[in-house]
Amino acid sequence: YGHLAGNYVLVELASLLKQMSVTHYGNRVFRIGGEEFALLIENESLEETLKIANEICDAVANYPFYYEGRRINVSISLGVACSVGKENQREFYMKADKALYQAKELGRNQVSYWKE
């Protein structure tokens, strides 16, 4: 679709994630770089966090991304990690990042979580 379409999708995706995180979950979303985003979900169980992640995955897959009259099908992969306050920020991020790569390896458009 080209760089301009890719930029459009990133802007729309960021807007959707921000809207969902603020309106539904009261949390924060960050763009890490490139096409990677992070959503910080505080004070939720692993089960609830996985539910939220799956809702986001479904919402993105069903969102009508249109650029110059053409529908662009978008899917995302999500990596989930839960912190119990024992690790530092870098360790926590690495857990989520490993879970993300696992989701991509398993076929994309899905949620995976860090298992010790």
Side-chain angles (χ1 to χ4, degrees), residues 83 85-95:
S83 174
K86 295 179 183 176
E87 67 274 299
N88 63 39
Q89 288 177 348
R90 185 180 183 329
E91 292 170 332
F92 180 59
Y93 174 80
M94 294 307 293
K95 288 179 180 180

Side-chain angles (χ1 to χ4, degrees), residues 6-113:
N7 286 336
Y8 159 78
V9 167
L10 287 174
V11 169
E12 286 294 303
L13 178 58
S15 178
L16 176 63
L17 292 174
K18 184 176 179 183
Q19 177 188 2
M20 289 186 75
S21 68
V22 171
T23 352
H24 299 292
Y25 313 118
N27 296 291
R28 294 168 280 179
V29 64
F30 308 90
R31 183 172 178 202
I32 304 279
E35 74 285 357
E36 291 191 1
F37 294 84
L39 176 63
L40 180 61
I41 300 173
E42 297 179 295
N43 303 315
E44 294 290 353
S45 67
L46 174 60
E47 293 76 22
E48 184 61 25
T49 302
L50 289 171
K51 179 181 169 218
I52 291 168
N54 279 297
E55 287 175 5
I56 291 170
C57 198
D58 291 342
V60 171
N62 292 307
Y63 188 84
F65 292 94
Y66 280 94
Y67 182 75
E68 293 185 344
R70 292 177 60 196
R71 168 103 188 206
I72 300 174
N73 294 317
V74 176
S75 65
I76 61 172
S77 299
L78 296 143
V80 173
C82 289
S83 174
V84 291
K86 295 179 183 176
E87 67 274 299
N88 63 39
Q89 288 177 348
R90 185 180 183 329
E91 292 170 332
F92 180 59
Y93 174 80
M94 294 307 293
K95 288 179 180 180
D97 198 48
K98 287 178 183 177
L100 169 62
Y101 280 97
Q102 181 183 20
K104 289 179 178 183
E105 288 172 8
L106 293 172
R108 301 179 183 250
N109 194 33
Q110 61 183 290
V111 175
S112 183
Y113 68 95

